[in-house]
Amino acid sequence: MNDKNPTLVPADLRSSGSTTVNSNPASPPSQPGLTLQFTGSAGEYFRIWIVNLCLTLFTLGIFSAWAKVRKKRYFYSHTLLDGTPFQYLGQPIPILKGRLIAAMLFGVWYTATHYVTSLLPFVLIAAFILAPWVMVRAAAFNARYSAFRNMTFSFAGTYTSAAKVMYGWAILALVSLGMAFSWWQQRLKKYIVDQTSYGGVNGEFSATGGQFFKTYFIAGLLFAIAMIAAFMLLSIGTAAGGENSFMVAWVVGIYAIYIMAYAYIQARITNLVWNNTQLGPLRFKSSIGVRSLLRLYLTNALAILATAGLLIPWATMRTLKYRADHLSVIATEGLHEFRGSEDGSVRAVGAEVGDFFDFDMSI
Amino acid sequence: MKTATPLTIETRLYNGISIVPEPATLMFSGPMASVISRSTASQYPVTKLRVSPRIGTADRFVSLPDGIQLQCADGPLLDRLPQEGRTEGLVAWLEHRWWVALFSLMVTVMALLAGYFAGLPVAAEKISARIPIEYEKSLGEESLAWMDQRKLFMPSDLPSETQGLLEGSFRELHQGLSMDAHYRLEFRRAPAIGPNAFALPGGIIVITDEMILKTGSPGEALAVLAHEIGHVEQRHVMRHVLQNSVVATVAATLTGDASSLSLAVSGLPVLLAQAKYSREFEAEADEFAFALLRQNNISPGLFADLMERLSEGRGEKRQSWSFLSSHPVTASRVMRARQAARE
């Protein structure tokens, strides 16, 4: 087989109708793209959503673990890279265990913050100790139960290494009154990417804290300007004597500013993270625009509110399709660097499901 | 061995070592299945094969006992092979049908409405009646201490005779009620809060100096206390906690998918849903208070007088916004109180 061939599909499969391997016309011919498509449909997902929701309600939430598997399976199975769907291998029982633990922790947290405030210091200390563990468990579960072409992802992070990244930089962020927040975020992302591997190849993350800082700084600046304008309007409005309706308009305005800032950060940070992530020969190009993402969020929110939630599945499909459409995968050389191993195979995963400590903390 | 024509499925083979797929044909007839690709030809007992669950119209995977996976389009032939999960097959069958989806939708909407309007309030009432109020005591103490610490509550400036007099009539008011042993009246000055009274968990009732200064007679103060007694007797604290947490949990389940905007989308509906329960508790406490006042030969009209005086300064919110409020519209409470006074 030709090692220089950068696509993953041999010539004899390319002719079959279901797999099309186009070189992305937008990118130069030296960097051919692997097609990434999302093929989910709103009608199909609506049925999955409502049936699982109904079963969840009537089992008082127990079925939610099974529902999560079905939904994740749908998302993964309809995301195709180079003609091959991703596979979600998570099993309901570990997810149910994770949810029960999460519910318990949330109950303790809620009680301590709302009712028995004298417990709060202890709960905070426990949360401080548990947070790196939760992060590592969630990342490990997600990686291990995600597969592509009969090879699973894996996550090599440990409690101590996670705690170092989480708290070493968090303390700096506190000391610098938030100035170092961007660097902390960058370290966290870098940690997740660098510790994740696929087919024996580790991810590499090259975005700098400065790049994160730039994004957060601009977002903060825009937010501050918008807030000042809103407050000035409010004082003019109250002086003019407008009451309830003006207050409502003002609240809606603040809401809009919040959503704009959110969309800005989401778009820019997602682009930044993908564009600086490399997995062996694979590079990524994320091109989410702030305005188009904002339009997506607003139309989704309006559609959901106007139909009392009936269009939630439609919004979900749209969002996933939008994401796939704005992400391209570029292979810089042959992909033979990825080699499966015995313990990374899909079969090895199933055997581990009985492990007591195997549960999903990613809600 | 002679058998009927073998059934064949065209697949892509992933051996788990190489990332490059190979075209392969899966054939099965009788108890054996064979996989033929350019590089291999192997046979497996059909019972050892596992097919991944059907999901929408996505391609499915057949796992072979030696770790190889075959990707193929979904089709009825796959149903003849052993399935990976049994329950998922059933769920997939349900998900595939529009009539099931519409039926689920109908049942879900009806269950949500019935649960919200009838089931949940009734269940919360039944459950709270079984939880001894003693469990709330420490909660009440905590909240009071918290308010004191934050200087939201400050020591009362009322002369001790006034306090003593009110305490005496308060005791008479709750005498013989089911929570009789648990009541405690606390006086606090609360410049930040203004005229108000609170029923804290566990039977602690706080009345602010500002409220007492607004009352024209001791009867009016007792009318307010009767309302708070109503909250305690009817276990509104516990019911409030139970109902609101169920509403929040169900809302989170419903909108969980749209997580990027989950709060933005569900925040307002949840607040509205919870505010309705809150207004119902207020109305219930009012009704309880009117009955209790009449039993003690105090006119519920006093409650109306005080409510009107309290609302004078504020300028009542417009009727059209009432669905946002945690309390019923004053005008309707006043009307109901006057009506009760005439009964």
Side-chain angles (χ1 to χ4, degrees):
Chain A
M1 205 153 290
N2 179 10
D3 245 48
K4 297 264 162 53
N5 178 5
T7 82
L8 298 175
V9 180
D12 42 3
L13 274 179
R14 261 181 255 171
S15 52
S16 78
S18 67
T19 56
T20 47
V21 181
N22 309 320
S23 293
N24 188 341
S27 61
S30 60
Q31 295 195 337
L34 305 175
T35 45
L36 179 71
Q37 332 162 244
F38 182 73
T39 57
S41 86
E44 211 169 67
Y45 185 64
F46 173 80
R47 300 197 300 261
I48 291 175
W49 176 76
I50 191 68
V51 166
N52 283 280
L53 187 63
C54 188
L55 290 170
T56 300
L57 278 181
F58 281 90
T59 54
L60 301 178
I62 309 249
F63 193 81
S64 72
W66 279 259
K68 179 177 175 171
V69 170
R70 290 301 289 170
K71 289 188 208 165
K72 278 262 195 183
R73 226 193 256 296
Y74 190 83
F75 302 157
Y76 276 55
S77 304
H78 289 83
T79 306
L80 273 61
L81 180 62
D82 200 26
T84 306
F86 284 84
Q87 283 170 277
Y88 182 70
L89 305 167
Q91 293 293 317
I93 297 291
I95 291 172
L96 186 63
K97 269 196 272 180
R99 292 206 156 172
L100 289 176
I101 293 171
M104 236 163 53
L105 294 178
F106 180 77
V108 171
W109 172 260
Y110 193 82
T111 315
T113 46
H114 284 70
Y115 304 114
V116 194
T117 39
S118 59
L119 274 180
L120 197 54
F122 303 103
V123 172
L124 282 175
I125 292 169
F128 191 78
I129 295 171
L130 279 177
W133 178 77
V134 169
M135 182 174 92
V136 170
R137 291 303 322 175
F141 193 94
N142 264 338
R144 194 146 42 119
Y145 294 118
S146 301
F148 179 70
R149 296 203 166 162
N150 206 0
M151 298 182 205
T152 63
F153 288 75
S154 71
F155 182 76
T158 59
Y159 178 84
T160 31
S161 58
K164 258 185 228 158
V165 175
M166 252 184 152
Y167 295 133
W169 288 86
I171 289 165
L172 203 68
L174 279 178
V175 170
S176 62
L177 298 173
M179 289 295 281
F181 172 79
S182 312
W183 280 265
W184 180 53
Q185 282 286 302
Q186 182 259 344
R187 298 305 290 206
L188 281 177
K189 292 273 191 254
K190 182 172 169 57
Y191 179 71
I192 297 282
V193 172
D194 287 357
Q195 300 295 323
T196 301
S197 64
Y198 172 76
V201 179
N202 263 67
E204 280 170 68
F205 188 70
S206 56
T208 63
Q211 289 172 296
F212 276 77
F213 180 74
K214 200 179 130 200
T215 306
Y216 285 119
F217 184 75
I218 293 174
L221 206 65
L222 293 176
F223 191 69
I225 292 171
M227 284 302 263
I228 290 170
F231 270 103
M232 272 161 57
L233 269 176
L234 179 73
S235 47
I236 295 167
T238 33
E243 286 214 342
N244 275 332
S245 44
F246 193 82
M247 272 304 281
V248 169
W250 191 71
V251 168
V252 169
I254 296 288
Y255 218 55
I257 293 170
Y258 164 76
I259 290 182
M260 271 188 259
Y262 181 79
Y264 180 84
I265 290 175
Q266 280 294 311
R268 288 295 150 86
I269 295 288
T270 308
N271 289 347
L272 181 63
V273 168
W274 277 113
N275 295 343
N276 289 282
T277 295
Q278 191 166 1
L279 185 67
L282 297 183
R283 297 195 126 271
F284 305 90
K285 178 90 190 86
S286 170
S287 50
I288 295 175
V290 176
R291 253 177 297 171
S292 65
L293 187 67
L294 189 63
R295 207 175 310 129
L296 180 86
Y297 281 164
L298 288 178
T299 42
N300 277 353
L302 284 179
I304 291 171
L305 284 176
T307 58
L310 275 185
L311 282 183
I312 287 176
W314 172 80
T316 311
M317 289 300 102
R318 247 179 120 217
T319 309
L320 288 173
K321 182 159 168 44
Y322 176 88
R323 270 208 237 152
D325 287 348
H326 288 79
L327 181 68
S328 38
V329 185
I330 302 147
T332 50
E333 50 189 295
L335 296 159
H336 298 276
E337 204 180 316
F338 296 110
R339 297 291 292 177
S341 61
E342 264 302 299
D343 57 323
S345 85
V346 168
R347 192 167 46 144
V349 172
E352 282 176 61
V353 167
D355 184 353
F356 177 77
F357 289 105
D358 184 45
F359 45 73
D360 178 22
M361 288 305 294
S362 56
I363 308 304
Chain B
M1 193 167 75
K2 285 269 175 209
T3 44
T5 338
L7 302 161
T8 64
I9 303 174
E10 292 306 320
T11 71
R12 297 169 84 181
L13 182 149
Y14 305 105
N15 61 15
I17 303 295
S18 165
I19 196 163
V20 182
E22 249 186 284
T25 308
L26 169 66
M27 286 192 275
F28 55 100
S29 63
M32 294 308 277
S34 49
V35 175
I36 298 158
S37 74
R38 214 167 15 178
S39 56
T40 52
S42 338
Q43 283 215 319
Y44 309 90
V46 170
T47 51
K48 296 280 187 211
L49 267 46
R50 289 290 177 275
V51 183
S52 70
R54 169 172 289 135
I55 183 85
T57 49
D59 279 8
R60 295 166 76 185
F61 288 87
V62 181
S63 300
L64 305 179
D66 53 8
I68 286 173
Q69 282 200 318
L70 307 170
Q71 174 198 346
C72 54
D74 191 14
L77 272 187
L78 289 175
D79 292 337
R80 303 196 187 183
L81 296 174
Q83 305 293 310
E84 208 179 279
R86 270 178 224 108
T87 39
E88 277 202 58
L90 179 64
V91 179
W93 187 90
L94 293 170
E95 290 164 355
H96 194 64
R97 277 149 185 84
W98 271 109
W99 67 266
V100 177
L102 292 177
F103 179 75
S104 304
L105 178 64
M106 223 170 62
V107 170
T108 303
V109 169
M110 283 188 326
L112 287 175
L113 291 177
Y116 178 72
F117 287 105
L120 183 55
V122 170
E125 197 183 340
K126 290 247 160 71
I127 293 170
S128 63
R130 287 167 171 273
I131 303 175
I133 197 163
E134 280 86 345
Y135 290 162
E136 289 178 15
K137 275 251 157 70
S138 61
L139 247 88
E141 299 290 355
E142 289 262 0
S143 333
L144 188 59
W146 190 87
M147 300 282 273
D148 283 340
Q149 260 172 31
R150 300 288 132 108
K151 304 274 180 236
L152 290 167
F153 284 163
M154 306 214 249
S156 171
D157 286 343
L158 293 178
S160 50
E161 307 90 72
T162 318
Q163 292 193 13
L165 266 170
L166 264 171
E167 254 170 3
S169 2
F170 174 68
R171 221 170 298 128
E172 271 172 43
L173 202 58
H174 67 67
Q175 207 163 38
L177 296 178
S178 58
M179 300 294 158
D180 190 20
H182 303 288
Y183 284 103
R184 197 174 96 207
L185 184 58
E186 294 277 346
F187 297 94
R188 292 286 191 281
R189 193 162 59 85
I193 297 171
N196 217 326
F198 304 89
L200 299 182
I204 303 170
I205 290 175
V206 182
I207 187 159
T208 66
D209 289 6
E210 288 77 3
M211 178 60 114
I212 292 185
L213 292 175
K214 280 271 182 186
T215 56
S217 66
E220 285 183 14
L222 286 178
V224 172
L225 293 176
H227 171 88
E228 302 307 327
I229 289 174
H231 281 313
V232 176
E233 285 296 313
Q234 291 164 326
R235 302 300 303 276
H236 285 162
V237 171
M238 190 54 80
R239 284 159 66 186
H240 187 85
V241 170
L242 290 173
Q243 293 180 193
N244 281 1
S245 38
V246 171
V247 167
T249 312
V250 171
T253 311
L254 291 177
T255 58
D257 258 15
S259 55
S260 56
L261 280 177
S262 169
L263 196 68
V265 169
S266 71
L268 190 62
V270 167
L271 283 183
L272 294 184
Q274 293 177 339
K276 179 188 170 286
Y277 282 147
S278 178
R279 286 196 303 276
E280 281 171 2
F281 289 148
E282 295 305 325
E284 229 179 89
D286 279 357
E287 290 302 321
F288 184 92
F290 303 153
L292 184 66
L293 289 171
R294 277 205 309 258
Q295 267 172 37
N296 287 271
N297 298 316
I298 304 170
S299 165
L302 292 176
F303 185 80
D305 296 343
L306 180 61
M307 288 304 291
E308 276 180 335
R309 198 168 318 124
L310 285 172
S311 70
E312 267 165 24
R314 282 200 302 240
E316 177 69 16
K317 275 172 252 154
R318 251 183 290 160
Q319 194 95 19
S320 53
W321 296 103
S322 62
F323 64 94
L324 278 167
S325 173
S326 63
H327 282 63
V329 181
T330 302
S332 66
R333 296 177 82 181
V334 166
M335 207 176 72
R336 186 64 204 103
R338 298 231 189 278
Q339 200 183 331
R342 282 192 301 271
E343 276 165 16

